[in-house]
Amino acid sequence: MIRFGPAGWTYKDWAGVVYPKPCPKEFDPLVAIARLFTTIEINTSFYGPVTPKNAHLWLERTAFNPDFRFTAKLWQRFTHQRDEPWTAEDVRWTRVGLGIMHKAGRLGAVLVQFPWSFRNVPENRDWVDSIVDAFGDFPLVLEVRHASWNEPSYYAELVERGLGFVNIDQPLYKDSIAPSARATAAVGYVRVHGRNYKEWFRHKSPIDRYDYLYSAKELAPWAERTKEIASHPRVQDVYVITNNHARGKGVANALMLEAMVTGRTVEAPEPLLREYEEVLGPYARPVDLLSTTVALQQ
């Protein structure tokens, strides 16, 4: 199955574009996303472990859509804060929330996302090995952004260990890993970040960095790559995540990709369709997200 969805669902600048504004208290953004899509990438898990309370709540609130799956970024303690080793307690707390979702059959993948500065050197390979030792019973997918990882031995190792490779779209600099359609495990993963060259390395704000709207022409190759990944014999599920979240642009592009891959018209929130009519219009019809979401909660 190919699942499409954005990265994260709680952004202030989505009000009036994806979600209603003002937003009534009975409107649940997560229910709205599960109404539109079949996956969501949890963003908050990058900043701290998923709590058992949240894991149970998220499962309960999306239970109406049996095809809906969560993917979750691994806590940055394991991927970005590498000055000192993590502790057994760090691993234990991280595993609790993820384990609840995994046991329920609703955790599609755990995203092990490394920054561009993470190069293919022996000590970093050892670091990856340690993560796999700690979390290898979860469906892991590895995202690397530096071109030094683009070598056959790395991909062969992922296949041998059943680890997924994250095919990414990002601004292409000299040492950036390029777009691909690699399938190394049962889980295939596509993640598009946008192409905001000006803000990519400035670190002013995540909103600025991921402020980019793909055109249909730019997305078309990714629709074909998604089909290629899904057709691979070892792949059982594919997750297509749009991380260009500024002002709901990732929501628009996720809907466009779904329409391009499936050949079907999708439903889009009315304000989103008005905001991005030029690119989204040919692929979507409007839906009243407020009324349909509230109805699902009753």
Side-chain angles (χ1 to χ4, degrees):
M1 185 170 183
I2 306 175
R3 294 180 172 87
F4 303 83
W9 66 89
T10 52
Y11 301 103
K12 291 182 179 180
D13 65 353
W14 285 19
V17 181
V18 181
Y19 306 139
K21 183 180 181 180
C23 192
K25 62 180 181 179
E26 63 268 23
F27 179 84
D28 186 331
L30 179 56
V31 174
I33 290 297
R35 158 73 175 78
L36 290 173
F37 296 106
T38 47
T39 193
I40 189 77
E41 185 180 274
I42 301 170
N43 188 51
T44 55
S45 56
F46 178 74
Y47 301 100
V50 175
T51 66
K53 177 182 178 180
N54 278 343
H56 286 297
L57 282 174
W58 294 341
L59 292 173
E60 180 182 337
R61 287 154 61 188
T62 58
F64 69 89
N65 184 349
D67 289 330
F68 192 82
R69 299 291 182 270
F70 291 90
T71 71
K73 290 182 185 178
L74 187 63
W75 182 18
Q76 63 181 339
R77 178 68 187 85
F78 300 96
T79 56
H80 287 61
Q81 298 170 355
R82 303 188 305 276
D83 292 337
E84 59 183 49
W86 60 76
T87 67
E89 192 73 356
D90 292 335
V91 173
R92 186 175 77 84
W93 277 113
T94 302
R95 291 184 57 86
V96 171
L98 295 177
I100 291 169
M101 304 176 83
H102 186 46
K103 185 176 180 179
R106 303 283 300 285
L107 182 66
V110 175
L111 171 66
V112 185
Q113 170 199 291
F114 289 106
W116 180 83
S117 59
F118 191 71
R119 313 295 174 88
N120 184 5
V121 294
E123 56 266 32
N124 285 345
R125 281 185 176 255
D126 291 342
W127 192 273
V128 173
D129 289 344
S130 297
I131 289 177
V132 175
D133 289 342
F135 301 103
D137 53 326
F138 295 127
L140 299 182
V141 294
L142 273 59
E143 177 179 335
V144 289
R145 300 181 181 182
H146 194 271
S148 59
W149 294 93
N150 185 26
E151 61 174 46
S153 64
Y154 172 63
Y155 300 123
E157 184 177 345
L158 294 182
V159 172
E160 181 180 350
R161 304 177 75 175
L163 303 174
F165 177 77
V166 180
N167 302 274
I168 65 173
D169 192 85
Q170 63 176 339
L172 288 178
Y173 296 93
K174 179 181 178 181
D175 294 321
S176 301
I177 202 161
S180 58
R182 297 190 180 278
T184 59
V187 176
Y189 214 93
V190 169
R191 199 163 186 248
V192 299
H193 295 289
R195 300 175 183 176
N196 194 335
Y197 282 84
K198 181 180 178 181
E199 302 293 343
W200 190 247
F201 285 118
R202 293 177 67 177
H203 301 293
K204 289 176 58 180
S205 163
I207 295 177
D208 294 331
R209 188 180 197 187
Y210 300 110
D211 188 359
Y212 188 85
L213 181 69
Y214 286 91
S215 67
K217 183 178 180 180
E218 290 171 324
L219 288 180
W222 280 107
E224 294 306 311
R225 292 184 186 108
T226 298
K227 295 176 186 178
E228 183 179 345
I229 294 167
S231 69
H232 199 284
R234 67 168 58 93
V235 172
Q236 298 175 9
D237 292 285
V238 180
Y239 293 86
V240 182
I241 302 295
T242 50
N243 193 34
N244 52 325
H245 54 74
R247 287 190 56 78
K249 292 175 180 176
V251 177
N253 285 153
L255 291 169
M256 290 170 64
L257 274 167
E258 181 173 359
M260 289 176 172
V261 171
T262 64
R264 298 192 297 266
T265 301
V266 296
E267 292 183 333
E270 291 172 326
L272 185 78
L273 193 53
R274 289 195 302 269
E275 183 79 12
Y276 303 119
E277 172 69 28
E278 184 175 349
V279 295
L280 181 57
Y283 302 96
R285 61 181 181 273
V287 64
D288 182 351
L289 192 59
L290 174 58
S291 63
T292 56
T293 297
V294 172
L296 286 170
Q297 296 172 238
Q298 295 174 345

